[in-house]
Amino acid sequence: MEETEEKGLNTPEESAQINNEENEKEYQPVYLSGLYKNWFLDYASYVILERAVPNVLDGLKPVQRRILHTMKVMDDGRYNKVANVIGHTMQYHPHGDASIGDALVQLGQKDLLVDTQGNWGNILTGDSAAAPRYIEARLSKFALDVVFNPKTTDWKLSYDGRNKEPDTLPVKFPLLLVQGVEGIAVGLASKILPHNFNEVIDASVSYLKDEDFDLYPDFLTGGAVDVGRYNDGIRGGKVKIRAKIDKLDKKTLVVNEIPFGTTTTSVIESILSANEKSKIKIKKIDDNTAENVEIVIHLASGVSPDQTIDALFAFTQCEISISPNSCVIDEDRPAFLGVNEILRRSVDSAVNLLTKELEIKLSELQEQWHFSSLEKIFIEKKIYRKIEVAESWEEVISIIDKALTTYRKLFTRDITQDDIVRLTEIKIKRISKYNNFKADEYIKSIEDEMDNVKDKLSHIIEYTIEYFQRIQKKYGHLYPRKTEIRNFDNIQANLVAVANQKLYIDKEEGFAGTALKKAEFVCECSDIDDIIIFKGDGSYVITKVTPKFFVGKDVIYIDVHKKNDTRTIYNMIYRDGRGGISYAKRFNISAIKKDAEYNITRGTNNSRILYFSVNPNGEAEIVKLFFRPKPYQRKTSVEYDFSKLEIRNRSSRGNKVTSHSVRLVVKKEDGVSTLGAIKIWFDDTVKRINTETRGRFIGDFVGGDKILVLTDDGKFELYNYDVANHFPENMTHIMKFDSSMVFNVVFFEGALQKHYIKRFSIPNDFVLNKRTSFLTDDSKSYLEKLSFNPQASVTVEFDGAVNSRQIPTEDIIFSDFIAVKSYTARGKRISNYVIKQFTLQEPEIFIEEETVETETEVNPQDVTEEDPKKKVIEPEEDHDGQLFIDVE
């Protein structure tokens, strides 16, 4: 033991204690909260600031900024291989060539900052770009005009400290709003939709003029957008985007434009998927997309093209919703700013940059003026001769400095030694050829330019407006709006889905559903339909269709329920309680809570439905009630006419029919609709007709009435008044069809290269949904003027002279010029002379109101001395209504 202590060795107990202390030091606990506060936060901040989110000032992500800076450094006016651009950009961007290449391709596909050459992919089809070694790029003229200026750029060191890169580029344009952006960071994301080039400039000018403005998205893929819930692009908003679908004929649809964010491949796949799920019925689909989208959809026989269009919007990528999230970097922090605020920040930045540029230019002009004036004095006053006697450089500087002393007050700043050194560097050849007159002119031009710059600085807002207008004039024609802004109608999926199921009912077991193949067939339906079930005790329920569900054993009616259907009327007679009074009622059921049981009787115990009918168009029949025989009972039956009963709420009691005990109720006579004609309106915002009084009134429709539509290419088409109808995009007029209506038309006949007038009417038996031209078949024919006014005329101005005399204008009354003929007739030529222009004259039509004079019974109390006979004159009602609607 003593030896151990002398040698400095530990005892076993001490060694164990030391080992425990070392283990405690080695295995200290690490808390996750510390990791999140330090490492995770650092990583998240880096991703947000340096990778995924654009800066509000220049609208660029770091990788985009570095690509553009690299392309500017490399710019010599010629195209560069994309692989070369990627390699040079890696000096500034530390995340590899793949991210740089993808970002450059996206910039090129936006067709704004990068001028591309080669196969850069296709945003319509989703085809990727060729390999970087095969494609080339250079900066566009627009980018060179608005993005770069090294004099106003703030610089910082690159990631390895070897190079300088811009902190932000001096972009004098709201670039972020035109290009849009999408990025996913840590804990947040940015999704700013692209906007139209010209509209952004117009909004910038409006902001500078302190006027209100609105901005809405515009997409390179076209289509239509509903911006009702855009919410200024802030999170929480939403836009709906639809493809453009045209009816080629009854069996063919063509998709010409697709929603933003989709491709023809994804759209076709979604259509095929919907077809496999029996949401729609198509025969085949062809993709003819090349430069423009063309997806041809061939429909199955018996399928409505209008219903299919709605189904495409409801079940495929022909309609998508996008939720914008306007997140940007503002002063090194993420901020959620609306697109209007982003535009204000961008325009303010443009004003500041233009101010800096003008101040820099003014400073440079002042320097030019300063040295030009020094040079003039140095040469005119022959100061250069005084330095001939100088023996040293210091003496040269001193002589010139002393000679300029008397002129110092002429300058706006001090004359420095650097200025004197520059004077000594003037070559003898320049001194010998010096021209005082030209020097004065040059100095005067500098002064004029300085005054001009000072004027711009004092009117910087007006100068900025002129700058934006110059940009718009130079480049605006390249960027027309491609996406139509419209309000979309709400499509109910269950109304447009194809009936892909069959509904059955097993009344003995009390079950219904689509899987009961051996039970009684009810109707065809889709798997998203709602079913309404009425029972004999007056209870009813609306529920979702399923393969099998319990309905009870007392079902008297089961069918598909159409939501918001006010035309389907239920007529019924029920007994209120055991031995109670029998009531009749008429009602509709438009909307109701699903899977909740309701009652159409008064709810009294032992109530019973004695008669029940469903009438799709509000028909009101006559029924006969047979009574149970009773002693001393004279009447054994009674007839009841439902047409005398008003349509009321489903919860109303109804009208009393009889107190007798009813044995049987049978239909005696079919009735007619009591709802009258359907009133139809046209909503120009969604280009659809409706019965909810939205838009402009077209007319009352009943039976075989039709709607007439005219298009700007000289075609007409007849439709029924189904609210599901889709109308052509180039529609100019929509009206209730009247076969007696006469069309007065002026058109240019392409084959003969002459103008013609024709008058025609459309026969009443013309087929529906057949778009037909009322011009000639030549593709060069076009419509000039169209009028429905029977007294219309046209003034024709000719271009030319006969025998040195100008050809006089001619007034042509349509009805005098030509008779009414078929729509297929060519018409009558106006003149052989060249026609300059037409002016349509449509005089107001005054209809003299006929009055009917009727005498009424005279009340002695109403007779006065001035009015002893009390005659009442009532004008006849005018039922003509509105003739047509111009939708232009």
Side-chain angles (χ1 to χ4, degrees), residues 713-869:
D713 55 354
K715 294 180 180 179
F716 69 87
E717 187 171 1
L718 295 179
Y719 295 80
N720 59 24
Y721 47 93
D722 187 348
V723 294
N725 285 334
H726 283 257
F727 301 106
E729 293 292 331
N730 61 336
M731 175 177 63
T732 57
H733 295 82
I734 180 170
M735 66 195 80
K736 183 177 180 181
F737 173 62
D738 182 357
S739 59
S740 65
M741 183 182 298
V742 176
F743 294 73
N744 303 305
V745 175
V746 180
F747 73 99
F748 180 78
E749 210 291 314
L752 300 175
Q753 296 288 299
K754 297 294 181 183
H755 285 89
Y756 282 73
I757 287 179
K758 65 187 296 184
R759 298 177 71 228
F760 68 92
S761 59
I762 302 172
N764 194 45
D765 58 352
F766 197 85
V767 295
L768 294 175
N769 304 114
K770 181 181 179 182
R771 198 169 304 175
T772 306
S773 176
F774 55 81
L775 307 181
T776 55
D777 294 334
D778 192 275
S779 60
K780 296 180 181 179
S781 298
Y782 60 86
L783 179 66
E784 283 277 7
K785 299 294 180 181
L786 170 66
S787 175
F788 310 99
N789 191 317
Q791 301 175 15
S793 62
V794 63
T795 301
V796 184
E797 294 183 35
F798 297 96
D799 187 9
V802 176
N803 297 328
S804 301
R805 296 182 62 183
Q806 180 67 36
I807 303 173
T809 60
E810 184 177 354
D811 292 326
I812 299 175
I813 300 174
F814 287 105
S815 58
D816 294 342
F817 189 76
I818 188 173
V820 178
K821 298 184 179 181
S822 169
Y823 67 90
T824 59
R826 177 180 293 166
K828 185 177 179 181
R829 183 184 299 176
I830 296 175
S831 174
N832 286 324
Y833 298 128
V834 178
I835 296 175
K836 183 178 181 181
Q837 69 174 13
F838 297 95
T839 304
L840 189 64
Q841 311 291 340
E842 296 185 293
E844 293 185 14
I845 303 174
F846 295 96
I847 302 175
E848 185 177 349
E849 291 187 349
E850 296 181 3
T851 58
V852 179
E853 195 174 275
T854 59
E855 291 193 9
T856 62
E857 293 184 4
V858 181
N859 188 332
Q861 296 178 352
D862 296 336
V863 178
T864 62
E865 292 183 0
E866 290 111 353
D867 187 15
K869 293 186 177 179

Side-chain angles (χ1 to χ4, degrees), residues 274-479:
N275 184 60
E276 290 174 1
K277 295 176 182 178
S278 299
K279 304 293 185 185
I280 59 176
K281 278 187 180 180
I282 64 172
K283 184 185 298 182
K284 67 174 182 175
I285 187 167
D286 296 326
D287 186 5
N288 300 332
T289 302
E291 182 179 355
N292 299 313
V293 172
E294 186 179 334
I295 301 173
V296 182
I297 303 171
H298 302 273
L299 305 181
S301 59
V303 175
S304 165
D306 292 311
Q307 183 176 342
T308 304
I309 291 175
D310 284 342
L312 289 171
F313 291 146
F315 302 117
T316 74
Q317 285 193 2
C318 288
E319 178 182 311
I320 65 170
S321 294
I322 296 179
S323 298
N325 186 15
S326 185
C327 179
V328 295
I329 300 301
D330 183 25
E331 297 181 355
D332 295 328
R333 302 184 68 178
F336 294 93
L337 307 177
V339 295
N340 287 358
E341 181 60 25
I342 290 175
L343 181 124
R344 296 186 189 98
R345 300 286 185 94
S346 300
V347 174
D348 289 342
S349 175
V351 172
N352 293 333
L353 289 169
L354 289 171
T355 301
K356 283 184 180 180
E357 289 181 357
L358 289 173
E359 289 173 346
I360 291 170
K361 185 175 182 180
L362 179 60
S363 176
E364 292 172 347
L365 289 170
Q366 288 171 340
E367 287 300 310
Q368 291 178 29
W369 179 88
H370 181 84
F371 185 74
S372 298
S373 300
L374 271 179
E375 183 184 61
K376 183 174 185 295
I377 294 171
F378 182 73
I379 297 174
E380 278 188 354
K381 304 304 180 182
K382 296 182 171 46
I383 296 176
Y384 61 89
R385 289 185 177 179
K386 296 180 181 182
I387 63 175
E388 294 176 355
V389 297
E391 296 181 355
S392 66
W393 175 251
E394 289 77 9
E395 189 176 355
V396 169
I397 300 299
S398 177
I399 291 172
I400 297 174
D401 186 39
K402 186 175 181 181
L404 293 174
T405 301
T406 56
Y407 304 105
R408 289 183 182 274
K409 60 183 179 180
L410 301 176
F411 296 91
T412 56
R413 70 168 177 83
D414 291 337
I415 300 172
T416 65
Q417 186 172 342
D418 291 337
D419 295 332
I420 296 173
V421 172
R422 284 187 64 189
L423 290 175
T424 63
E425 294 173 351
I426 300 174
K427 296 180 179 180
I428 296 299
K429 184 177 181 181
R430 176 170 174 78
I431 294 175
S432 63
K433 290 186 176 182
Y434 190 77
N435 187 312
N436 289 335
F437 178 75
K438 288 185 178 180
D440 289 338
E441 278 190 337
Y442 178 67
I443 292 173
K444 180 65 168 62
S445 67
I446 295 175
E447 291 173 348
D448 291 342
E449 196 168 353
M450 287 168 58
D451 291 338
N452 185 31
V453 172
K454 289 177 182 178
D455 181 68
K456 291 176 180 177
L457 281 169
S458 62
H459 299 87
I460 188 62
I461 299 300
E462 292 79 1
Y463 174 70
T464 306
I465 291 174
E466 291 176 1
Y467 166 80
F468 278 119
Q469 291 173 340
R470 285 197 304 272
I471 293 294
Q472 186 174 26
K473 184 177 180 180
K474 190 173 182 180
Y475 302 104
H477 66 281
L478 300 174
Y479 305 102

Side-chain angles (χ1 to χ4, degrees), residues 219-235:
F219 309 110
L220 290 174
T221 53
V225 61
D226 187 337
V227 295
R229 296 176 56 193
Y230 186 43
N231 193 31
D232 200 29
I234 302 174
R235 54 183 174 178

Side-chain angles (χ1 to χ4, degrees), residues 76 190 256 644 680:
D76 58 0
S190 179
N256 294 317
K644 297 179 180 178
I680 297 293

